[in-house]
């Protein structure tokens, strides 16, 4: 059985909810990623921040990314998967919630992230095609 832990990208890092968006953008650049899980003061997942969130939700709205925090951008219920979950559960979670990045948690701690690139590297063509059709078919028309 292939698990979430087998296909995830290790070394994911939190951005604390109290950190500003300019710092989040710097961390994204340093890590070469487009999304960061947001942690509360207890290091629990409280959201995910994307580079698009920073641009569309802050900069394009005329706000100063040095004054807006990651926590202020966290919306909705964050989705995650346990490191021991089967790949089928990973695909279901991502398809059901139309998400392209999924934090991986083990013993209540962030241990990795699963992105589209991770899926492409580790899944069969049929699995990838089914996932892409499900996620992208429902999001067509959105940029």
């Amino acid at each position: 059985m292939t698990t979430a832990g087998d296909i995830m990208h290790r070394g994911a890092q939190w951005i604390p909810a109290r950190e500003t968006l300019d710092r989040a953008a710097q961390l994204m650049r340093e890590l070469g990623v487009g999304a960061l899980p947001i942690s509360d003061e207890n290091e629990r997942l409280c959201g995910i921040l994307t580079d698009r969130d920073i641009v569309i939700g802050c900069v394009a709205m005329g706000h100063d990314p040095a004054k807006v925090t990651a926590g202020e951008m966290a919306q909705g219920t964050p989705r995650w998967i346990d490191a021991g979950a089967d790949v089928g559960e990973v695909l279901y979670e991502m398809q059901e919630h139309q998400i392209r990045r999924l934090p991986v948690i083990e013993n209540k701690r962030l241990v990795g992230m699963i992105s589209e690139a991770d899926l492409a590297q580790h899944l069969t063509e049929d699995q990838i095609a089914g996932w892409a059709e499900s996620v992208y078919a429902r999001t067509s028309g959105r940029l």
Side-chain angles (χ1 to χ4, degrees):
M1 169 178 92
T2 303
T3 66
D6 295 330
I7 68 168
M8 72 182 181
H9 177 81
R10 296 189 179 279
Q13 291 187 25
W14 299 109
I15 185 81
R18 69 183 177 282
E19 283 288 349
T20 58
L21 298 186
D22 62 337
R23 177 62 192 129
Q26 292 164 0
L27 186 56
M28 287 180 189
R29 183 189 64 223
E30 290 167 15
L31 298 172
V33 299
L36 294 169
I38 304 169
S39 70
D40 65 15
E41 62 278 352
N42 298 314
E43 291 194 1
R44 300 288 175 109
L45 182 66
C46 65
I48 295 181
L49 178 68
T50 67
D51 48 7
R52 187 175 193 279
D53 294 333
I54 295 170
V55 172
I56 303 297
C58 178
V59 176
M61 300 295 288
H63 302 295
D64 182 353
K67 295 182 179 173
V68 178
T69 67
E72 291 173 291
M73 296 298 290
Q75 297 177 3
T77 303
R79 307 307 307 177
W80 57 274
I81 195 88
D82 186 85
D86 181 80
V87 167
E89 293 176 62
V90 171
L91 292 174
Y92 175 80
E93 188 71 18
M94 293 176 85
Q95 289 168 333
E96 183 67 20
H97 300 285
Q98 297 181 347
I99 54 178
R100 296 179 180 105
R101 299 170 183 98
L102 188 62
V104 181
I105 306 293
E106 186 173 58
N107 298 320
K108 299 181 182 179
R109 297 285 181 226
L110 178 70
V111 294
M113 287 281 281
I114 297 174
S115 68
E116 294 169 305
D118 298 312
L119 296 179
Q121 289 178 343
H122 295 18
L123 302 180
T124 67
E125 286 184 25
D126 287 342
Q127 287 174 312
I128 294 168
W131 176 82
E133 181 179 334
S134 175
V135 171
Y136 290 110
R138 289 191 267 172
T139 61
S140 63
R142 287 196 299 179
L143 295 177

